[in-house]
PDB file of all heavy atoms in Angstrom:
ATOM      1  N   PRO B 183     112.177 167.236  52.663  1.00 96.00           N
ATOM      2  CA  PRO B 183     111.646 167.576  53.979  1.00 96.00           C
ATOM      3  C   PRO B 183     112.176 166.611  55.035  1.00 96.00           C
ATOM      4  O   PRO B 183     112.470 165.462  54.726  1.00 96.00           O
ATOM      5  CB  PRO B 183     110.137 167.403  53.801  1.00 96.00           C
ATOM      6  CG  PRO B 183     109.976 166.461  52.678  1.00 96.00           C
ATOM      7  CD  PRO B 183     111.142 166.677  51.770  1.00 96.00           C
ATOM      8  N   ALA B 184     112.318 167.094  56.261  1.00 96.00           N
ATOM      9  CA  ALA B 184     112.757 166.234  57.354  1.00 96.00           C
ATOM     10  C   ALA B 184     111.669 165.198  57.609  1.00 96.00           C
ATOM     11  O   ALA B 184     110.508 165.554  57.784  1.00 96.00           O
ATOM     12  CB  ALA B 184     113.004 167.071  58.603  1.00 96.00           C
ATOM     13  N   PRO B 185     112.009 163.928  57.608  1.00 97.00           N
ATOM     14  CA  PRO B 185     110.992 162.875  57.826  1.00 97.00           C
ATOM     15  C   PRO B 185     110.705 162.712  59.311  1.00 97.00           C
ATOM     16  O   PRO B 185     111.405 163.255  60.152  1.00 97.00           O
ATOM     17  CB  PRO B 185     111.695 161.633  57.275  1.00 97.00           C
ATOM     18  CG  PRO B 185     113.141 161.877  57.567  1.00 97.00           C
ATOM     19  CD  PRO B 185     113.353 163.368  57.457  1.00 97.00           C
ATOM     20  N   ASP B 186     109.664 161.944  59.593  1.00 96.00           N
ATOM     21  CA  ASP B 186     109.399 161.557  60.971  1.00 96.00           C
ATOM     22  C   ASP B 186     110.564 160.721  61.491  1.00 96.00           C
ATOM     23  O   ASP B 186     111.344 160.180  60.710  1.00 96.00           O
ATOM     24  CB  ASP B 186     108.120 160.712  61.052  1.00 96.00           C
ATOM     25  CG  ASP B 186     106.877 161.573  60.770  1.00 96.00           C
ATOM     26  OD1 ASP B 186     106.986 162.815  60.873  1.00 96.00           O
ATOM     27  OD2 ASP B 186     105.835 160.994  60.427  1.00 96.00           O
ATOM     28  N   ARG B 187     110.613 160.593  62.830  1.00 96.00           N
ATOM     29  CA  ARG B 187     111.656 159.772  63.436  1.00 96.00           C
ATOM     30  C   ARG B 187     111.021 158.625  64.207  1.00 96.00           C
ATOM     31  O   ARG B 187     109.938 158.767  64.776  1.00 96.00           O
ATOM     32  CB  ARG B 187     112.487 160.611  64.413  1.00 96.00           C
ATOM     33  CG  ARG B 187     113.205 161.795  63.782  1.00 96.00           C
ATOM     34  CD  ARG B 187     114.357 161.358  62.905  1.00 96.00           C
ATOM     35  NE  ARG B 187     115.082 162.483  62.332  1.00 96.00           N
ATOM     36  CZ  ARG B 187     116.392 162.665  62.501  1.00 96.00           C
ATOM     37  NH1 ARG B 187     117.097 161.810  63.212  1.00 96.00           N
ATOM     38  NH2 ARG B 187     116.995 163.677  61.934  1.00 96.00           N
ATOM     39  N   THR B 188     111.718 157.505  64.258  1.00 95.00           N
ATOM     40  CA  THR B 188     111.286 156.388  65.105  1.00 95.00           C
ATOM     41  C   THR B 188     111.655 156.721  66.549  1.00 95.00           C
ATOM     42  O   THR B 188     112.317 157.718  66.825  1.00 95.00           O
ATOM     43  CB  THR B 188     111.996 155.084  64.715  1.00 95.00           C
ATOM     44  OG1 THR B 188     113.381 155.229  65.044  1.00 95.00           O
ATOM     45  CG2 THR B 188     111.878 154.810  63.232  1.00 95.00           C
ATOM     46  N   ALA B 189     111.247 155.813  67.446  1.00 94.00           N
ATOM     47  CA  ALA B 189     111.572 156.009  68.867  1.00 94.00           C
ATOM     48  C   ALA B 189     113.088 156.081  69.073  1.00 94.00           C
ATOM     49  O   ALA B 189     113.590 156.761  69.957  1.00 94.00           O
ATOM     50  CB  ALA B 189     110.991 154.874  69.702  1.00 94.00           C
ATOM     51  N   ALA B 190     113.821 155.380  68.209  1.00 95.00           N
ATOM     52  CA  ALA B 190     115.279 155.359  68.341  1.00 95.00           C
ATOM     53  C   ALA B 190     115.930 156.510  67.585  1.00 95.00           C
ATOM     54  O   ALA B 190     117.134 156.524  67.363  1.00 95.00           O
ATOM     55  CB  ALA B 190     115.826 154.042  67.809  1.00 95.00           C
ATOM     56  N   ASN B 191     115.103 157.488  67.152  1.00 96.00           N
ATOM     57  CA  ASN B 191     115.592 158.660  66.428  1.00 96.00           C
ATOM     58  C   ASN B 191     116.080 158.348  65.018  1.00 96.00           C
ATOM     59  O   ASN B 191     116.888 159.087  64.458  1.00 96.00           O
ATOM     60  CB  ASN B 191     116.693 159.373  67.236  1.00 96.00           C
ATOM     61  CG  ASN B 191     116.891 160.813  66.769  1.00 96.00           C
ATOM     62  OD1 ASN B 191     115.936 161.453  66.336  1.00 96.00           O
ATOM     63  ND2 ASN B 191     118.107 161.291  66.833  1.00 96.00           N
ATOM     64  N   TYR B 192     115.619 157.249  64.457  1.00 97.00           N
ATOM     65  CA  TYR B 192     115.954 156.912  63.077  1.00 97.00           C
ATOM     66  C   TYR B 192     114.984 157.614  62.147  1.00 97.00           C
ATOM     67  O   TYR B 192     113.788 157.687  62.420  1.00 97.00           O
ATOM     68  CB  TYR B 192     115.850 155.400  62.841  1.00 97.00           C
ATOM     69  CG  TYR B 192     116.920 154.574  63.507  1.00 97.00           C
ATOM     70  CD1 TYR B 192     117.893 155.177  64.317  1.00 97.00           C
ATOM     71  CD2 TYR B 192     116.966 153.195  63.331  1.00 97.00           C
ATOM     72  CE1 TYR B 192     118.883 154.405  64.929  1.00 97.00           C
ATOM     73  CE2 TYR B 192     117.952 152.420  63.942  1.00 97.00           C
ATOM     74  CZ  TYR B 192     118.904 153.036  64.743  1.00 97.00           C
ATOM     75  OH  TYR B 192     119.870 152.270  65.339  1.00 97.00           O
ATOM     76  N   ARG B 193     115.483 158.092  60.994  1.00 97.00           N
ATOM     77  CA  ARG B 193     114.614 158.714  59.993  1.00 97.00           C
ATOM     78  C   ARG B 193     113.687 157.647  59.393  1.00 97.00           C
ATOM     79  O   ARG B 193     114.139 156.551  59.052  1.00 97.00           O
ATOM     80  CB  ARG B 193     115.434 159.336  58.868  1.00 97.00           C
ATOM     81  CG  ARG B 193     116.171 160.603  59.278  1.00 97.00           C
ATOM     82  CD  ARG B 193     117.071 161.070  58.165  1.00 97.00           C
ATOM     83  NE  ARG B 193     117.773 162.293  58.525  1.00 97.00           N
ATOM     84  CZ  ARG B 193     118.845 162.344  59.304  1.00 97.00           C
ATOM     85  NH1 ARG B 193     119.353 161.230  59.819  1.00 97.00           N
ATOM     86  NH2 ARG B 193     119.409 163.498  59.561  1.00 97.00           N
ATOM     87  N   SER B 194     112.415 158.029  59.218  1.00 97.00           N
ATOM     88  CA  SER B 194     111.424 157.092  58.687  1.00 97.00           C
ATOM     89  C   SER B 194     110.736 157.695  57.466  1.00 97.00           C
ATOM     90  O   SER B 194     110.011 158.686  57.577  1.00 97.00           O
ATOM     91  CB  SER B 194     110.408 156.808  59.794  1.00 97.00           C
ATOM     92  OG  SER B 194     109.397 155.960  59.309  1.00 97.00           O
ATOM     93  N   TYR B 195     111.012 157.118  56.307  1.00 97.00           N
ATOM     94  CA  TYR B 195     110.523 157.709  55.058  1.00 97.00           C
ATOM     95  C   TYR B 195     109.297 157.015  54.506  1.00 97.00           C
ATOM     96  O   TYR B 195     109.110 155.809  54.696  1.00 97.00           O
ATOM     97  CB  TYR B 195     111.626 157.653  53.995  1.00 97.00           C
ATOM     98  CG  TYR B 195     112.839 158.468  54.356  1.00 97.00           C
ATOM     99  CD1 TYR B 195     113.966 157.870  54.917  1.00 97.00           C
ATOM    100  CD2 TYR B 195     112.866 159.843  54.124  1.00 97.00           C
ATOM    101  CE1 TYR B 195     115.093 158.616  55.248  1.00 97.00           C
ATOM    102  CE2 TYR B 195     113.982 160.604  54.450  1.00 97.00           C
ATOM    103  CZ  TYR B 195     115.090 159.981  55.010  1.00 97.00           C
ATOM    104  OH  TYR B 195     116.180 160.726  55.332  1.00 97.00           O
ATOM    105  N   GLY B 196     108.484 157.769  53.786  1.00 95.00           N
ATOM    106  CA  GLY B 196     107.319 157.217  53.106  1.00 95.00           C
ATOM    107  C   GLY B 196     107.480 157.328  51.591  1.00 95.00           C
ATOM    108  O   GLY B 196     108.543 157.705  51.093  1.00 95.00           O
ATOM    109  N   ASP B 197     106.410 157.027  50.901  1.00 94.00           N
ATOM    110  CA  ASP B 197     106.471 157.010  49.454  1.00 94.00           C
ATOM    111  C   ASP B 197     106.665 158.398  48.847  1.00 94.00           C
ATOM    112  O   ASP B 197     107.297 158.526  47.790  1.00 94.00           O
ATOM    113  CB  ASP B 197     105.179 156.381  48.911  1.00 94.00           C
ATOM    114  CG  ASP B 197     105.501 155.515  47.719  1.00 94.00           C
ATOM    115  OD1 ASP B 197     106.369 154.627  47.857  1.00 94.00           O
ATOM    116  OD2 ASP B 197     104.921 155.764  46.644  1.00 94.00           O
ATOM    117  N   ALA B 198     106.132 159.420  49.515  1.00 94.00           N
ATOM    118  CA  ALA B 198     106.294 160.783  49.007  1.00 94.00           C
ATOM    119  C   ALA B 198     107.780 161.164  49.005  1.00 94.00           C
ATOM    120  O   ALA B 198     108.267 161.802  48.074  1.00 94.00           O
ATOM    121  CB  ALA B 198     105.491 161.757  49.858  1.00 94.00           C
TER     122      ALA B 198
END
Side-chain angles (χ1 to χ4, degrees):
Chain B
D186 290 341
R187 300 289 182 123
T188 68
N191 199 32
Y192 289 2
R193 288 174 179 79
S194 177
Y195 297 98
D197 218 54

